[in-house]
Amino acid sequence: MIAESDLPYLKRCVELAREALDAGDEPFGSVLVSAQGEILFEDRNRVAGGDHTRHPEFEIARWAATHLSPADRAATTVYTSGEHCPMCAAAHGWVGLGRIVYVSSSRQLIGWLNEMKAGLPPVRALPIQDIVPTVPVAGPVPGLAEEVRALHERRHAQRGRSA
Ligand code: ZN
């Protein structure tokens, strides 16, 4: 379930996704929030340099492993513009982070990519629950998900032009 209090963080994720797209990366952004509601860490996709593991959710897991106790990690919420890929879901689980709230689902993303006749990712888009079944997960968020879709459409249009 998504609460009114989740919305500012989700909007920040979409903003970070837009920043990533503007910088030539893929439109994804994520924030790590403490039990008290403080943003502890945030990042955006940074794959344009050629390292396709530079996902924000992966960076969040690494940051949390270095900076937070296991109890603090479990009390966090990770907000993200797009549902975690299997790599990031696994990192989330191994590090022991808490709830996940995503704006748009992997299923939506694959549907959009198919509609745009864009290439599919090399890693299968499994639901988070298939990778880390005990993590509470909420999403997608109607309305905001359409903003994410528009970013992916812009990304695809840009790639079409440069191809
Ligand atoms: Zn990922």
Side-chain angles (χ1 to χ4, degrees), residues 11-31 42-48 81 151 154-155 158:
K11 286 179 181 159
R12 178 62 188 146
C13 292
V14 177
E15 235 172 72
L16 287 163
R18 190 171 290 120
E19 278 176 29
L21 183 62
D22 288 343
D25 296 294
E26 292 177 355
F28 297 97
S30 313
V31 302
E42 59 179 33
D43 204 7
R44 61 170 181 79
N45 178 285
R46 299 180 189 277
V47 301
S81 64
L151 294 178
R154 220 177 90 203
R155 163 89 181 159
Q158 282 169 359

Side-chain angles (χ1 to χ4, degrees), residues 64-109:
T66 306
H67 295 92
L68 300 180
S69 70
D72 284 344
R73 288 178 221 159
T76 58
T77 300
V78 173
Y79 295 91
T80 188
S81 64
E83 182 175 4
H84 291 41
C85 75
M87 171 184 77
C88 295
H92 185 103
W94 283 121
V95 165
L97 293 169
R99 176 176 176 244
I100 295 174
V101 187
Y102 58 77
V103 174
S104 59
S105 68
S106 296
R107 192 196 170 106
Q108 285 178 314
L109 175 63

Side-chain angles (χ1 to χ4, degrees), residues 122-139:
V123 174
R124 199 163 156 202
L126 299 172
I128 291 169
Q129 292 94 333
D130 283 6
I131 312 291
V132 281
T134 59
V135 172
V137 179

Side-chain angles (χ1 to χ4, degrees), residues 41-65:
F41 183 79
E42 59 179 33
D43 204 7
R44 61 170 181 79
N45 178 285
R46 299 180 189 277
V47 301
D51 180 354
H52 285 267
T53 67
R54 297 289 302 276
H55 298 181
E57 307 98 315
F58 201 28
E59 301 295 332
I60 281 177
R62 285 247 164 79
W63 185 91

